[in-house]
Amino acid sequence: MRFGSRRIMCGAAATAGVWLLSVALVGGQAPTAAQNQMLAENVFKNITVLRGIPVDEFMGTMGVFSAALGLSCEDCHTASSNDWANYAKDVSPRKAMARQMVRMMADINKQHFGGRQVVTCFTCHRGSNSRPRVTASLVTLYGTPPPEELDVLVLPAEAGGPTAVQILDKYIAAVGGAQRAATLTSYAAKGTYSGYGPDGAPRPVEIYAKAPNQKTVIVRDPEAGDSTTTFNGTGGWVSAPFRPIEVLELHGAEIDSARAEAELLFPASAKQVLTGMRTSNDFINDRTVLVVQGMKGAAIVTMYFDEETGLLSRLVRSTPSPVGRLPVQIDYSDYRDVNGLKMPFKWTMTWLDGRSNYEMSEIRPNVPIDAARFARPAPPKPAK
């Protein structure tokens, strides 16, 4: 995360009370002492309404603001790469307005929708920082509407279509069959990573995965220092330069989301990862896709399978926040044979704050991986 990128955001807002606390804490349980230490108001200064949620969720809400308004960090904050404390200053009236608008949004949902998150920042702003339109647009009304992207919640499939199990069985057969898929217990991969905006230069990346649900991604940066994302089966962390928190710990639904992605790296477990699975169908790049959507704890996970090949084309995992859902989309391509199993060698990860491209040069299956690879990462160290 670097300053100046159009889709990087850090700001303030939300609502207080039981409604907000129930969003932040799994099952409505009281926070532990460790959780209290990582609440937004205990880490950042001048948090007036976005209180009671962990830091990772707080940072996610900043991405919602950025996406909803088409703004960057410095549009609402005094940005400084030397002192993150400058972000706490109320130098822009936009911060006060954001707080006011989030209170209004929460009140609308509470009073008119029983507390369900029906209205969000994006509902009215739709990617623009201009005021919501009052008068209908005749150009929009009579012109060709822009194509709508796939929504987080899919429409149910028509009766008579394939079941979730049938779609997943076809996927397992497409990658090499259940017996071959069951033999994959770990892998190590190397390739290149390129980010969004100022992070666009390709850099080396290493990926380590171990069944059933451990994953570590290390992006090597010779200047800024390495970025490491780790999920060890129960806990998850992000260690990266240019962040207000050197090692950001994941909580709640973000843990559920990370666990689902790590488990789905191993096709043999695809049918056991999600609960409440439902099906749909849609199109991606003019190709028909069969959709399986389900829950992993508090996270919504959606898989899109190419109808012709049966292979996984896209994975979308989405978690809640007080101001809207936080989607992460992964588009897979370039499937190649790895010891009899088809695995993607390219994928693009897109989220509210940026986009990352991964291109593997080698994937080594069933290699021993040191448990230390999945431990909590150390803070990033700039290269000498």
Side-chain angles (χ1 to χ4, degrees):
M1 193 179 282
R2 295 175 186 249
F3 301 110
S5 177
R6 192 64 181 166
R7 282 296 174 201
I8 296 175
M9 176 74 179
C10 301
T15 186
V18 175
W19 175 81
L20 185 103
L21 195 61
S22 67
V23 174
L25 302 177
V26 177
Q29 298 175 357
T32 65
Q35 288 172 329
N36 271 326
Q37 291 177 358
M38 292 303 294
L39 294 181
E41 64 268 27
N42 294 331
V43 175
F44 302 113
K45 295 181 180 180
N46 196 20
I47 306 300
T48 62
V49 292
L50 192 61
R51 303 172 67 87
I53 63 173
V55 172
D56 56 326
E57 188 175 318
F58 174 87
M59 296 301 292
T61 64
M62 302 304 105
V64 174
F65 294 151
S66 177
L69 297 171
L71 297 177
S72 188
C73 308
E74 59 270 20
D75 291 312
C76 296
H77 297 274
T78 298
S80 171
S81 59
N82 297 321
D83 188 359
W84 279 98
N86 286 334
Y87 276 68
K89 297 178 179 179
D90 288 333
V91 296
S92 170
R94 285 174 171 163
K95 287 181 68 175
M97 179 57 70
R99 292 164 178 155
Q100 179 181 337
M101 296 299 288
V102 173
R103 289 191 184 100
M104 179 190 72
M105 180 190 68
D107 288 342
I108 291 173
N109 285 325
K110 182 178 180 180
Q111 294 177 19
H112 299 284
F113 299 105
R116 293 181 296 114
Q117 194 173 68
V118 176
V119 176
T120 69
C121 303
F122 196 80
T123 302
C124 296
H125 289 285
R126 308 286 287 182
S128 171
N129 66 344
S130 60
R131 294 177 180 272
R133 294 182 63 93
V134 176
T135 306
S137 167
L138 296 178
V139 173
T140 302
L141 182 63
Y142 292 100
T144 302
E148 285 285 340
E149 65 177 324
L150 306 182
D151 199 359
V152 168
L153 295 176
V154 300
L155 296 174
E158 297 181 359
T163 66
V165 171
Q166 288 172 333
I167 295 173
L168 293 173
D169 278 338
K170 182 178 179 180
Y171 163 60
I172 294 172
V175 298
Q179 184 174 356
R180 179 67 68 177
T183 64
L184 182 66
T185 58
S186 69
Y187 68 82
K190 291 183 178 181
T192 59
Y193 159 97
S194 59
Y196 179 79
D199 289 333
R203 280 159 286 170
V205 64
E206 302 168 15
I207 299 175
Y208 302 92
K210 186 176 181 180
N213 55 15
Q214 294 180 300
K215 178 187 178 183
T216 290
V217 178
I218 305 172
V219 177
R220 304 292 187 185
D221 191 318
E223 297 180 1
D226 296 345
S227 297
T228 304
T229 303
T230 297
F231 181 73
N232 69 358
T234 57
W237 305 270
V238 178
S239 171
F242 307 110
R243 301 278 183 111
I245 304 296
E246 289 185 324
V247 181
L248 180 66
E249 185 173 357
L250 304 183
H251 298 82
E254 289 297 327
I255 286 289
D256 296 331
S257 181
R259 179 180 290 110
E261 183 185 334
E263 290 177 351
L264 289 170
L265 293 176
F266 299 92
S269 63
K271 291 188 289 185
Q272 290 77 46
V273 172
L274 305 180
T275 61
M277 290 189 294
R278 49 196 174 275
T279 63
S280 184
N281 51 68
D282 218 307
F283 296 90
I284 296 178
N285 298 327
D286 296 325
R287 292 183 67 88
T288 304
V289 289
L290 302 176
V291 185
V292 175
Q293 184 172 84
M295 300 297 297
K296 188 67 175 181
I300 299 175
V301 180
T302 312
M303 296 175 286
Y304 299 85
F305 300 93
D306 186 282
E307 184 179 41
E308 181 179 341
T309 66
L311 296 173
L312 180 64
S313 297
R314 176 177 294 175
L315 172 70
V316 178
R317 48 188 180 88
S318 174
T319 57
S321 87
V323 295
R325 298 199 68 86
L326 310 175
V328 176
Q329 176 178 302
I330 308 172
D331 289 282
Y332 300 97
S333 62
D334 193 16
Y335 278 84
R336 304 181 195 175
D337 184 273
V338 178
N339 197 29
L341 194 67
K342 289 185 178 179
M343 301 180 69
F345 272 63
K346 295 181 182 179
W347 61 90
T348 298
M349 177 180 288
T350 309
W351 67 105
L352 296 178
D353 292 333
R355 179 181 295 126
S356 300
N357 298 297
Y358 297 84
E359 185 170 349
M360 299 299 103
S361 57
E362 67 172 13
I363 298 178
R364 296 181 294 123
N366 299 323
V367 294
I369 300 177
D370 191 334
R373 288 290 187 191
F374 306 109
R376 178 189 176 101
K381 294 182 181 180
K384 297 181 180 180

